[in-house]
């Protein structure tokens, strides 16, 4: 402070008899003892809870760990690993799946690099990844035989790293090529699996089938869902009622019923001579199902757009179509991204329902594999399947949470 | 006058007049839709004719000829319609019990998720994160083949003291059973409810008038307990706990549920409970912090803060998403088909296989699920209107 006299508005306002406001000193980080007292033994009731929960965790944890590492027989998973992943896909054609996986991994790496989402920078985050990664490698060492698989996996990991590096270097300039790349990869993967004397869909199976069904389902249902949402908000009554009818009927019926409808009734509705493979029939129904849910999400996004945006667009003289495409939809869809990822996760989990139709997806395979030679090891097989589903769904949901924070949804 | 004239003259040509275009667009849409549906129906009738079938509901009255493992009384000689009813009742049995249990589990876990106790919080978090991210069908199949099938057969069934019996076919729990004198006791119970209600409303009015504590909960419960308890003793203790027993490869007594029912119910409750947990947690957190602080400033104790300030507002936020969870649970009960539990969908699939009437049967099934969904929405919307702010939630 200089010796200059204070101007009237600079004189601190101090009420009579009041001390100047004192800020609390910054709290030192809690010591271990304080933390334990605060979180576990803050009151008598809390202490009782801690003891009870501790006993439950100790007993349950011991039982689970003992079962995983001592009693369980994971041979059923090891012996059937290939069937778990790709079902009855012919052995000599597996390069098609590897190539598709490489493509996806590379694009995923690029996306992570470009958006910067998914790269943890905290020590705790890194530690968590190390532990998880260690467990995965441990499991793989137990499960995998042969050098070739290891080389293939290492190549995938390397591609992921290259993707991240390229994405970081390219930065935001890569965003549009990346979007085009994802769309193109979708067609490319189908071509890879099916084209050039490829493998017919009835031989697709295992976890790959779940992934393909989920990706195709969400990609096809997205445009249909947007159209249905626009239809539901249309000012033309016929179109509005049609959209409401479709959305509400589909949402009020279980997916199983729709799938069985697809198996029994859909073939009757097609002109004679047109045949659809069971997987394609299931895909049609899954797409219709998902479209109704996507439509409701998009409708939510549309409702969140302030009417001033519509008015501004009209004031600029934009015709309705371009107003929607250029002004309204981009904002509305951006707000729905987290919900859309949630819908994708739920669709991905729902792909297990095609097992009800006898299609050889991961669930079906894991349910039937133990019957052949490992009778009684159903638990192990099913848990392995559950774990695979869980890994994909959980990492997507974590990624979406971070994306949500990044996009600042609900904060603008 | 001149303004009107210009307006009329400035009217765009027909093909650019918005009013004409709107009507034309709808007409075209209807035409396309009609052509589309007519193609579908003609395809359908063609295909059916080739298979020698037609569309009619007469088959519902013919003999079913297949057995159903559980449910209301039914034999293979009954009609398809009766078989379908058995399935509907089984679905309602799973959905109704499931909704209640999932709510209880969800609320308990949701509160645990916000507990000041770190361990309790983590248990709830692990529960939510594992269960929510695994397909419900995998879970149901796991409970059925992995857990319940791994139990011993009936003759070596595990007994949990006198509480219940666990076997791989039937799970039985001790259950109260009414005996002679129950009718008399029922009268006392009704009387107790009436007396409690009278005391409650009297005390409420007294409290409103005088502003003194009314203690209506204490008095109401007290009156109810005294009346029902004395009635219980007067009518000669008409309730007995019926403990199940294994008698020659059969379980007798108690509340018995089949392996399929137990697996389906467990799977649905555990799965839906995880979603309700997150809704409960989210809606309690969504109540602005100032509300609780204001309640504290008014001198309400922690219980009163929850009961009168936080929970009523959290309810308002939680009800719509919980409704959609109830709908999901009901629809997911159709996964019974994967474990052979004869629910609505499962029985209908058997009917389709027996009669070949896929189209009719599936339309009936869809209509049934739709009306169940509609019923749940109706009930929940009525409740929602009660708790919503005035002017909201029309």
């Amino acid at each position: 402070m200089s010796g200059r006299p204070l101007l009237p508005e600079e004189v601190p306002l101090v009420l009579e008899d009041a001390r100047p406001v004192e800020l609390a000193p910054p709290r030192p980080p809690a010591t271990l003892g304080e933390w334990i007292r605060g979180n576990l033994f803050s009151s008598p009731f809390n202490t009782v809870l801690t003891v009870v929960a501790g006993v439950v965790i100790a007993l349950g944890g011991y039982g689970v760990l003992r079962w995983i590492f001592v009693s369980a027989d994971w041979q059923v998973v090891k012996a059937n690993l290939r069937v778990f992943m790709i079902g009855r896909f012919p052995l000599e054609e597996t390069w098609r799946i590897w190539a598709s996986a490489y493509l996806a991994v590379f694009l995923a790496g690029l996306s992570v690099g470009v958006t910067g989402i998914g790269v943890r920078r905290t020590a705790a985050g890194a530690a968590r990844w190390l532990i998880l990664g260690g467990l995965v490698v441990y499991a793989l060492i137990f499960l995998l035989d042969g050098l070739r698989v290891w080389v293939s996996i290492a190549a995938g990991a390397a591609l992921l790293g290259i993707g991240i590096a390229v994405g970081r270097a390219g930065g935001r300039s890569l965003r549009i090529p990346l979007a085009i790349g994802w769309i193109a990869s979708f067609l490319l993967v189908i071509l890879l699996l099916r084209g050039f004397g490829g493998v017919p869909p009835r031989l697709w199976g295992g976890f790959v089938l779940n992934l393909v069904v989920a990706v195709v389902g969400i990609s096809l249902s997205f445009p249909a869902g947007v159209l249905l949402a626009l239809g539901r908000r249309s000012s033309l009554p016929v179109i509005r009622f049609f959209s409401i009818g479709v959305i509400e009927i589909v949402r009020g019926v279980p997916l199983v019923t729709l799938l069985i409808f697809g198996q029994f009734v859909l073939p009757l509705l097609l002109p004679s001579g047109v045949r659809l493979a069971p997987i394609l029939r299931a895909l049609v129904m899954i797409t219709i199902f998902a479209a109704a849910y996507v439509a409701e999400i998009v409708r939510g996004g549309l409702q969140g757009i302030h009417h001033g945006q519509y008015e501004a667009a009209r004031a600029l003289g934009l015709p309705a179509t371009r107003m929607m495409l250029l002004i309204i939809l981009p904002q509305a869809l951006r707000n729905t991204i987290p919900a859309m990822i949630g819908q994708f996760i739920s669709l991905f989990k729902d792909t297990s329902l095609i097992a009800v139709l006898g299609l050889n997806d991961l669930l079906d395979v894991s349910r039937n594999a133990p019957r052949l030679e490992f009778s009684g090891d159903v638990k192990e097989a099913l848990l392995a399947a559950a774990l695979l589903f869980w890994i994909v769904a959980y990492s997507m949901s974590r990624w979406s949470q971070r994306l949500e924070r990044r996009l600042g949804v609900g904060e603008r | 006058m001149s303004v009107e004239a210009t307006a009329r003259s400035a009217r765009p040509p027909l093909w650019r007049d918005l009013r004409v275009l709107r009507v034309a667009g709808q007409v075209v849409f209807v035409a396309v839709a009609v052509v589309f549906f007519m193609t579908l129906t003609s395809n359908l009738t063609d295909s059916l004719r080739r298979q020698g079938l037609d569309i009619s509901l007469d088959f519902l009255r013919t003999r079913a000829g297949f057995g159903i493992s559980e449910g209301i009384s039914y034999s293979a000689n009954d009609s398809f319609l009766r078989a379908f009813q058995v399935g509907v009742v089984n679905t309602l049995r799973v959905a109704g019990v499931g909704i209640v249990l999932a709510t209880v589990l969800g609320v308990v876990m949701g509160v645990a998720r916000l507990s000041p106790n770190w361990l309790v919080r983590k248990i709830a978090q692990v529960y939510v994160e594992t269960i929510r991210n695994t397909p419900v069908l995998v879970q149901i199949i796991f409970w059925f083949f992995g857990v319940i099938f791994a139990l011993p057969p009936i003759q070596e069934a595990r007994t949990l003291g006198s509480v219940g019996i666990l076997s791989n076919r039937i799970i039985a729990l001790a259950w109260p059973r009414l005996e002679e004198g129950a009718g008399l006791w029922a009268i006392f119970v009704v009387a107790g409810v009436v007396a409690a209600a009278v005391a409650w409303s009297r005390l409420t009015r007294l409290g409103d008038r005088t502003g003194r504590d009314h203690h209506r909960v204490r008095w109401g419960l007290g009156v109810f307990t005294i009346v029902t308890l004395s009635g219980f003793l007067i009518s000669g203790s008409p309730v007995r706990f019926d403990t199940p027993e294994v008698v020659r490869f059969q379980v007798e007594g108690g509340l018995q549920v089949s392996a399929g029912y137990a697996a389906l119910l467990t799977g649905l409750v555990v799965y839906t409970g995880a979603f309700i947990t997150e809704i409960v947690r989210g809606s309690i957190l969504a109540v602005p912090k100032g509300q609780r602080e204001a309640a504290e400033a008014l001198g309400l104790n922690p219980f009163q803060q929850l009961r009168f300030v936080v929970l009523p507002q959290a309810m308002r936020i939680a009800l719509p998403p919980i409704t959609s969870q109830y709908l999901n649970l009901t629809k997911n009960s159709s996964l019974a088909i994967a474990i052979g539990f004869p629910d609505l969908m499962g029985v209908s699939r058997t009917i389709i296989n027996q009669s070949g009437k896929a189209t009719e049967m599936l339309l009936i099934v869809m209509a049934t699920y739709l009306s169940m969904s509609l019923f749940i929405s109706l009930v929940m919307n009525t409740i929602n209107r009660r708790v919503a702010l005035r002017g909201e939630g029309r």
Side-chain angles (χ1 to χ4, degrees):
Chain A
M1 276 275 171
S2 62
R4 162 178 82 83
L6 293 170
L7 294 169
E9 63 266 27
E10 287 174 348
V11 176
L13 183 72
V14 181
L15 291 174
E16 217 175 317
D17 218 26
R19 282 164 294 164
V21 178
E22 261 177 50
L23 286 177
R27 266 171 57 117
T31 61
L32 187 64
E34 278 173 12
W35 184 89
I36 289 179
R37 229 169 298 132
N39 282 291
L40 300 177
F41 303 102
S42 57
S43 66
F45 177 65
N46 213 345
T47 309
V48 172
L49 272 185
T50 303
V51 171
V52 172
V55 169
V56 168
I57 291 178
L59 288 180
Y62 173 75
V64 168
L65 287 179
R66 198 188 131 76
W67 184 79
I68 290 177
F69 290 104
V70 181
S71 334
D73 183 6
W74 297 101
Q75 282 303 322
V76 61
V77 181
K78 183 171 180 162
N80 288 299
L81 188 64
R82 195 167 58 83
V83 190
F84 270 44
M85 298 311 292
I86 60 176
R88 291 182 296 154
F89 208 86
L91 197 53
E92 61 275 18
E93 305 284 353
T94 41
W95 62 269
R96 295 169 184 276
I97 288 174
W98 280 109
S100 315
Y102 286 155
L103 185 64
V105 160
F106 181 66
L107 282 171
L110 271 182
S111 309
V112 168
V114 169
T115 57
I117 295 171
V119 187
R120 284 183 181 264
R121 296 200 180 82
T122 60
R128 207 178 299 169
W129 273 113
L130 272 181
I131 293 173
L132 252 171
L135 280 176
V136 169
V137 171
Y138 172 80
L140 286 180
I141 289 175
F142 166 75
L143 288 174
L144 296 179
D145 280 330
L147 195 62
R148 270 186 58 192
V149 194
W150 277 106
V151 172
S152 311
I153 289 181
L159 264 174
L160 183 69
I162 295 174
I164 295 178
V166 172
R168 277 219 189 132
R172 298 173 73 88
S173 64
L174 280 177
R175 283 173 75 170
I176 291 168
L178 189 62
I180 298 172
W182 274 114
I183 296 169
S185 76
F186 175 67
L187 300 172
L188 210 62
V189 165
I190 300 294
L191 200 68
L192 260 174
L193 293 177
R194 189 76 188 83
F196 313 120
V199 183
R202 70 190 153 79
L203 289 182
W204 297 3
F207 198 45
V208 167
L209 180 61
N210 292 95
L211 290 173
V212 168
V213 168
V215 172
V216 174
I218 201 82
S219 322
L220 295 183
S221 64
F222 181 74
V226 172
L227 282 182
L228 275 176
L230 290 177
R232 189 166 187 166
R233 283 176 62 81
S234 163
S235 58
L236 308 179
V238 169
I239 294 176
R240 188 167 65 239
F241 287 129
F242 174 81
S243 306
I244 292 178
V246 171
I247 293 173
E248 292 305 331
I249 288 177
V250 170
R251 274 167 24 108
V253 169
L255 179 56
V256 179
T257 309
L258 288 179
L259 286 174
I260 289 179
F261 185 90
Q263 295 307 297
F264 285 111
V265 183
L266 193 60
L268 304 178
L269 295 177
L270 297 172
S272 58
V274 180
R275 282 250 176 84
L276 280 181
I279 289 181
L280 295 182
R281 276 182 259 159
L283 255 178
V284 170
M285 299 321 287
I286 284 182
T287 305
I288 295 175
F289 178 77
Y293 286 83
V294 169
E296 285 301 274
I297 294 175
V298 175
R299 182 165 75 114
L302 287 173
Q303 279 174 351
I305 302 297
H306 195 268
H307 60 88
Q309 297 288 329
Y310 289 88
E311 287 160 11
R314 277 197 211 104
L316 286 176
L318 288 182
T321 333
R322 273 204 272 166
M323 173 179 81
M324 271 298 163
L325 283 180
L326 298 178
I327 310 287
I328 306 300
L329 275 181
Q331 303 183 62
L333 292 182
R334 179 178 159 286
N335 286 345
T336 61
I337 289 175
M340 212 64 96
I341 297 179
Q343 178 56 37
F344 185 60
I345 296 174
S346 127
L347 180 72
F348 168 68
K349 289 188 292 170
D350 281 343
T351 57
S352 58
L353 264 59
I354 59 177
V356 170
L357 306 175
L359 298 174
N360 301 51
D361 83 319
L362 175 61
L363 174 60
D364 186 64
V365 167
S366 63
R367 184 172 53 164
N368 289 323
R371 291 207 186 135
L372 303 176
E373 46 180 321
F374 299 93
S375 56
D377 295 345
V378 209
K379 244 187 234 176
E380 287 85 344
L382 282 172
L383 276 179
L387 186 67
L388 263 179
F389 276 114
W390 182 82
I391 289 173
V392 175
Y394 182 69
S395 39
M396 269 203 288
S397 79
R398 290 309 292 255
W399 193 74
S400 126
Q401 282 166 17
R402 252 174 288 158
L403 185 70
E404 203 168 328
R405 241 169 282 148
R406 170 67 69 88
L407 288 173
V409 171
E411 285 167 23
R412 297 194 182 195
Chain B
M1 147 83 210
S2 70
V3 174
E4 211 170 287
T6 13
R8 209 176 296 143
S9 68
R11 204 170 176 185
L14 217 55
W15 60 91
R16 291 186 62 184
D17 188 333
L18 206 59
R19 276 168 298 177
V20 177
L21 279 181
R22 285 167 62 96
V23 175
Q26 298 190 57
V27 169
V28 170
F29 185 84
V30 170
V32 171
V34 165
V35 169
F36 180 69
F37 280 108
M38 272 170 57
T39 323
L40 288 191
T41 32
S42 88
N43 285 343
L44 181 66
T45 41
D46 275 0
S47 325
L48 287 178
R49 198 178 315 120
R50 245 175 296 126
Q51 293 177 12
L53 292 168
D54 60 341
I55 295 264
S56 76
L57 292 176
D58 296 340
F59 73 98
L60 282 175
R61 250 168 281 146
T62 52
R63 179 177 175 275
F66 62 88
I68 297 179
S69 58
E70 63 182 296
I72 52 174
S73 79
Y74 164 86
S75 81
N77 281 326
D78 285 328
S79 64
F80 280 128
L81 184 64
R82 179 67 183 171
F84 181 72
Q85 288 167 351
V86 176
V88 172
V89 172
N90 279 341
T91 291
L92 292 178
R93 219 153 51 93
V94 171
V97 178
I99 283 176
V100 173
L101 292 182
T103 313
V104 173
L105 180 66
V107 170
V108 169
M109 283 310 215
V111 172
R113 197 100 162 68
L114 293 170
S115 159
N117 188 306
W118 185 83
L119 276 180
V120 172
R121 219 157 54 215
K122 281 293 157 186
I123 293 180
Q125 189 189 347
V126 167
Y127 160 67
V128 169
E129 298 287 16
T130 39
I131 296 300
R132 260 196 337 170
N133 287 311
T134 327
V136 57
L137 183 57
V138 175
Q139 292 181 31
I140 291 171
I141 290 186
F142 180 79
W143 288 114
F144 189 66
F145 291 106
V147 176
I148 294 180
F149 257 40
L151 292 171
I154 286 183
Q155 50 273 39
E156 306 154 19
R158 209 178 295 164
T159 51
L160 307 167
S162 57
V163 181
I165 288 179
L166 298 177
S167 76
N168 63 1
R169 238 179 49 215
I170 280 176
I171 291 170
L173 293 174
W175 201 250
R177 204 172 64 186
L178 298 175
E179 287 184 337
E180 213 176 328
L184 182 61
W185 187 48
I187 295 173
F188 274 94
V189 173
V190 173
V193 171
V194 171
V198 169
W200 180 288
S201 67
R202 277 277 167 88
L203 285 170
T204 312
R205 246 177 293 148
L206 193 72
D208 287 349
R209 215 173 47 230
T210 60
R212 261 175 296 168
D213 281 350
H214 43 49
H215 293 305
R216 57 183 184 192
V217 178
R218 228 170 282 171
W219 278 100
L221 278 180
V223 168
F224 176 75
T225 319
I226 290 168
V227 174
T228 41
L229 249 186
S230 51
F232 188 74
L233 296 177
I234 290 169
S235 56
S237 317
V239 175
R240 192 175 61 89
F241 262 92
D242 190 11
T243 45
E245 281 170 288
V246 178
V247 184
R248 278 180 297 127
F249 309 116
Q250 293 285 332
V251 179
E252 280 180 6
L255 175 78
Q256 300 185 10
V257 294
S258 69
Y261 182 83
L264 184 63
L265 188 67
T266 318
L268 290 176
V269 166
V270 169
Y271 185 75
T272 317
F275 285 87
I276 295 182
T277 300
E278 281 304 274
I279 294 172
V280 169
R281 165 173 170 267
S283 38
I284 291 181
L285 284 181
V287 175
K289 209 166 59 181
Q291 292 288 324
R292 206 184 179 131
E293 290 167 356
E296 206 174 342
L298 285 176
L300 300 187
N301 66 34
F303 172 76
Q304 289 171 327
Q305 290 169 26
L306 264 184
R307 164 71 183 79
F308 295 109
V309 178
V310 177
L311 285 187
Q313 302 187 61
M315 266 279 268
R316 214 171 275 156
I317 304 168
L319 262 183
I322 284 190
T323 305
S324 79
Q325 286 310 317
Y326 289 172
L327 295 176
N328 281 346
L329 187 143
T330 310
K331 285 184 280 169
N332 281 340
S333 69
S334 60
L335 296 174
I337 202 168
I339 54 172
F341 175 76
D343 80 322
L344 158 55
M345 192 64 239
V347 171
S348 301
R349 183 154 82 165
T350 316
I351 296 179
I352 290 174
N353 286 334
Q354 298 280 319
S355 67
K357 297 286 192 181
T359 317
E360 298 90 328
M361 212 48 226
L362 281 168
L363 288 180
I364 296 176
V365 170
M366 285 185 188
T368 314
Y369 275 116
L370 275 175
S371 35
M372 284 183 193
S373 301
L374 213 64
F375 177 72
I376 294 176
S377 306
L378 254 168
V379 171
M380 295 303 288
N381 283 342
T382 318
I383 300 176
N384 195 22
R385 220 170 299 138
R386 281 278 176 84
V387 299
L389 287 174
R390 300 282 170 266
E392 235 182 64
R394 275 147 289 151

